[in-house]
Amino acid sequence: MGAPTKIEDARPPATATPDEETRAAGRAAGRTDAFLTRLRTPRRPRLWFEIALIAVSYWTYSLIRNAVPEQQREALRNADWIWRAEHALGIAVEHSVNHALNGVTWLIVSMNYYYATLHFVVTIGVLVWLYRRHPGRYGAVRTVIFLTTGSALVGYYLYPLAPPRLMHGEQFVDTVQVHGTWGSMASGNLAEMSNQYAAMPSMHIGWSVWCGITIAVLAAPLWARLLGALYPVATLLVIVATANHFWLDAVGGLLCLGLGFALTRAWYGRGPYALPRRAATAPAAASPATA
C-alpha cells in the first residue's frame, strides 16, 4: 500500500478585516499621542541632568560659535552696511554714546565688567530660581533660551559682523583695551579665544530680555519685577556704550528670542509661563480590582 497522499489546504490565508485594521491604526495613534503627551507634560527637573545639559549645551554653543570662519573682510563690509542703514533710519548714535560714557571712567569700567560677567551670572541665577520655585515651568522656559541660542548660531554663520570697536575709520573706543579691564573675551588677551565677528544677533540682549520677562512675569515682589524690566534696558546701554554691538544687533537678538518663544508655545500648546507652577505628580498605578 502506497504512502497516504498529503492533501494541501487550499484555503486562502486569513487577512485582517477593515475593522481590525482600523482598530490597529487607532491603537498605534493612541500610543504615539500618549508618548507626545508625556514629553509635553511638565515634570520635575532632575538636578544632575540639568547641570549636565547646561554645561554640555554651553560648551557646544561656544565650540560652534568659535568654529564659525572669521571672515574679516565680509564682517567689516557688513558692519559698514549696518552703520549706513542706521544712519538712514536716524538711529546711528552708538558713536556718541560710546565717547560720552568713555569719558566717565568709573562708569565705563563698571560697564566693561557688567558686559563680561552679568551675561552669565544673571542667566544662571534665573535658571536656578526657576528650578527651585517654578519646577513645572522650568523645562519650557529653559527650552526658550536653548532655542534662542541655537538660532543665534545660524546668524553667526550666515551673517558675520564686526562690532563697532573693530570698524576701520569710525574711531569707536575699545573700552576694554583703553581701560585695561579684566575678564572680557571680546577684547584684550582673551580675544583670540572667541570669534570677534559674531556680533549679529546679540545674545546679551536675547538672554537679558529672556531673564527680564521671566522675572517680571513670575516674581512676586514688585521690586524684583522692576529690576527684571530694567535689566535688559541696562544691558542695551552697556553693549552700545562699550562698542560691542549696534542697535540692530539687539533687534536680531529679539528676533531669535521671539522664535524661541514661538517654537516652545507650538510644542507645549501654550506659553511657558502659563504652565502650572508645580510639576504634575505621576498617578499611582491602578490595582487589578480597579483596572
Side-chain angles (χ1 to χ4, degrees), residues 26 29 55 64 87-88 95 107 110 128 146 149 158 167 175 182 192 196-197 214 221 230 240 266 273 277:
I64 295 174
H87 275 285
H95 188 275
L107 181 58
S110 299
V128 171
F146 274 44
T149 306
L158 296 178
M167 292 179 71
T175 59
W182 171 88
E192 295 182 359
Q196 298 300 293
Y197 304 111
T214 300
L230 290 174
V240 171
Y273 304 116
R277 179 174 180 174

Side-chain angles (χ1 to χ4, degrees), residues 14 28 60 101 195 217 247:
T60 305
L101 294 182
N195 181 5
V217 172
W247 296 120

Side-chain angles (χ1 to χ4, degrees), residues 11 14 17 21 27 34 63 66 74-75 88 123 125 128 153 168 206 210 224 233 246 260:
R11 290 177 298 176
T17 65
E21 291 178 348
R27 287 193 296 271
L63 187 68
N66 296 333
E74 184 178 356
T123 303
V128 171
L153 292 173
H168 297 157
W210 173 87
V233 177
F246 297 98

Side-chain angles (χ1 to χ4, degrees), residues 132-215:
R132 291 176 58 85
R133 302 298 298 273
H134 296 268
R137 297 166 179 149
Y138 172 86
V141 181
R142 181 252 290 142
T143 299
V144 172
I145 198 171
F146 274 44
L147 292 172
T148 298
T149 306
S151 63
L153 292 173
V154 178
Y156 299 148
Y157 184 84
L158 296 178
Y159 196 77
L161 179 67
R165 60 185 170 76
L166 293 183
M167 292 179 71
H168 297 157
E170 297 299 337
Q171 298 181 337
F172 280 95
V173 178
D174 188 332
T175 59
V176 169
Q177 288 277 31
V178 169
H179 299 281
T181 307
W182 171 88
S184 175
M185 297 184 69
S187 302
N189 295 331
L190 296 178
E192 295 182 359
M193 299 173 61
S194 178
N195 181 5
Q196 298 300 293
Y197 304 111
M200 172 68 84
S202 169
M203 280 299 92
H204 273 75
I205 290 301
W207 288 14
S208 67
V209 174
W210 173 87
C211 290
I213 293 174
T214 300
I215 296 170

Side-chain angles (χ1 to χ4, degrees), residues 25-35:
R27 287 193 296 271
R31 286 193 294 268
T32 301
D33 290 343
F35 176 70

